[in-house]
Amino acid sequence: MAIYTGSSKHLGGTESVQPKETVFYGLIRKNVLVTGGNGQLGRELHRLTEKTDTPFHFIFTDVDTLDITNEQQVTDFVEENAIEYIVNCAAYTAVDKAETDADAAYRINCLGAQHLAGSGAKIIHISTDYVFDGTASEPYREDAPAKPKSVYGKTKLAGEDMILSIAKEWIILRTSWLYSEFGNNFVKTMLRLMEQRNEIEVVTDQHGTPTYAADLAEMILTILEADEWKTGIYHFSNLGETSWFLFARRIRALSDNARTQINPILTSEYKTDAPRPLYSVMDKSKIQDTFNVVIPDWEDGLIRCLKRLGVKKK
């Protein structure tokens, strides 16, 4: 099955609704809770599931409708809405701020995962390449030792541990360099800076793989619709690898904003509060083989995202 690459209309925010006995080919749809519904991935899932016929009824929440750090709220919500599956897109993702706000990062990334894992529902938990230290020289497999360097990475790994130790039926999806037309991300930041500046400096010695959130959303739907639940840790990003510098140059080339000069700099020249992995390319062969999917190349994902953003070559 190929990852979905079609386009659809823009969606608004999230919704919290009571379970409905909607019917799909004579069967009652199963209720799926999506946390972090206002984030990039949550909104891409909303868009995809609104236009796609599935045997599931998706209930999108965010912190204003469900605080996953509150165990009783989670328990009550799952019971009242007859939730059978959870897709946990909620996360504290302010990587640098987490260094001085570790308690908040821990509550969301670890305690939140703990409460969801204890609900009894099958769970797909979104994690990150930041669980690795970035010292590898070849793509990380799922069984590679996790050695996070940042508070963000440590709290996400702690969340993984909660899923592993508490949830009965679980899937952990590690992803990297997520972007979309929603929210704040590298692609949108580069497009904005290219309109404002004649020169931009971008790190050239950090290597990884961009992930178009629409492709990750399609992967999640593929997992839900699989014939059987296949517990495990999986890596998912688009295919290929690049650096932030080369990623920025490709964005410029596709938007034909030639007036902006992009200059390479080293990580040591770009000071941040949190350390970044210098190499975080992940091996996707396990998820490809297990679910029989064809994953698009990262440049293909970028082209589709820019099209949705209305970016055209000038």
Side-chain angles (χ1 to χ4, degrees):
M1 175 181 177
I3 297 298
Y4 170 77
T5 58
S7 62
S8 62
K9 63 182 181 180
H10 175 84
L11 292 179
T14 61
E15 60 178 347
S16 176
V17 296
Q18 294 300 310
K20 301 177 183 177
E21 289 194 345
T22 51
V23 178
F24 179 78
Y25 291 105
L27 300 175
I28 302 299
R29 291 180 188 264
K30 298 176 180 180
N31 292 326
V32 182
L33 165 63
V34 180
T35 63
N38 281 333
Q40 294 187 81
L41 181 56
R43 295 185 74 177
E44 288 289 2
L45 271 168
H46 196 165
R47 182 198 341 239
L48 175 62
T49 57
E50 188 179 65
K51 72 168 289 298
T52 306
D53 286 332
T54 76
F56 302 99
H57 172 61
F58 290 86
I59 302 173
F60 291 83
T61 67
D62 212 275
V63 65
D64 57 341
T65 48
L66 176 63
D67 180 2
I68 66 171
T69 68
N70 185 313
E71 185 175 11
Q72 192 60 52
Q73 274 195 38
V74 171
T75 299
D76 292 345
F77 193 96
V78 169
E79 290 180 357
E80 292 169 5
N81 292 277
I83 300 298
E84 296 185 55
Y85 298 83
I86 296 172
V87 180
N88 183 28
C89 303
Y92 186 107
T93 57
V95 176
D96 289 319
K97 188 177 179 182
E99 295 296 311
T100 54
D101 195 17
D103 286 346
Y106 177 81
R107 286 196 304 273
I108 297 171
N109 293 342
C110 182
L111 287 185
Q114 176 184 346
H115 299 155
L116 295 170
S119 69
K122 295 180 180 180
I123 184 168
I124 298 174
H125 176 72
I126 308 304
S127 192
T128 174
D129 59 328
Y130 275 67
V131 301
F132 298 116
D133 62 10
T135 61
S137 57
E138 60 184 21
Y140 283 98
R141 295 173 58 88
E142 287 80 358
D143 57 359
K147 299 177 182 179
K149 289 185 173 181
S150 64
V151 169
Y152 166 67
K154 291 173 183 177
T155 60
K156 289 297 289 182
L157 181 59
E160 287 190 12
D161 290 340
M162 289 297 178
I163 300 296
L164 290 168
S165 61
I166 298 173
K168 295 180 180 179
E169 295 186 273
W170 54 268
I171 285 173
I172 293 172
L173 280 181
R174 292 175 180 152
T175 192
S176 62
W177 296 24
L178 196 68
Y179 69 92
S180 72
E181 68 185 87
F182 302 115
N184 298 314
N185 55 69
F186 184 79
V187 172
K188 292 177 68 176
T189 297
M190 288 298 105
L191 291 172
R192 175 175 54 81
L193 292 178
M194 287 175 195
E195 290 294 329
Q196 298 173 348
R197 302 182 185 179
N198 293 322
E199 290 188 54
I200 305 172
E201 293 183 333
V202 182
V203 171
T204 190
D205 58 345
Q206 292 177 25
H207 296 265
T209 308
T211 306
Y212 183 25
D215 291 340
L216 179 54
E218 175 65 16
M219 187 68 245
I220 291 170
L221 189 58
T222 297
I223 290 171
L224 287 171
E225 293 181 339
D227 293 336
E228 61 179 305
W229 186 264
K230 300 175 182 179
T231 289
I233 299 175
Y234 298 92
H235 289 169
F236 182 90
S237 68
N238 286 111
L239 295 185
E241 66 178 85
T242 189
S243 67
W244 290 112
F245 170 69
L246 293 176
F247 191 16
R249 289 189 62 179
R250 191 61 183 144
I251 294 167
R252 183 185 65 179
L254 291 171
S255 61
D256 202 24
N257 200 330
R259 71 177 183 84
T260 302
Q261 182 174 331
I262 301 176
N263 301 318
I265 60 171
L266 299 175
T267 297
S268 59
E269 301 175 84
Y270 185 74
K271 301 299 181 183
T272 58
D273 292 332
R276 267 67 171 173
L278 292 180
Y279 182 89
S280 63
V281 179
M282 298 186 295
D283 186 304
K284 273 77 69 173
S285 58
K286 180 180 177 181
I287 200 166
Q288 289 176 297
D289 295 342
T290 302
F291 295 97
N292 191 29
V293 294
V294 177
I295 303 175
D297 184 83
W298 72 265
E299 293 189 58
D300 177 78
L302 177 60
I303 290 169
R304 285 180 282 119
C305 181
L306 292 176
K307 183 177 180 180
R308 277 185 176 171
L309 284 166
V311 176
K312 299 178 181 179
K313 298 198 72 157
K314 298 176 181 178

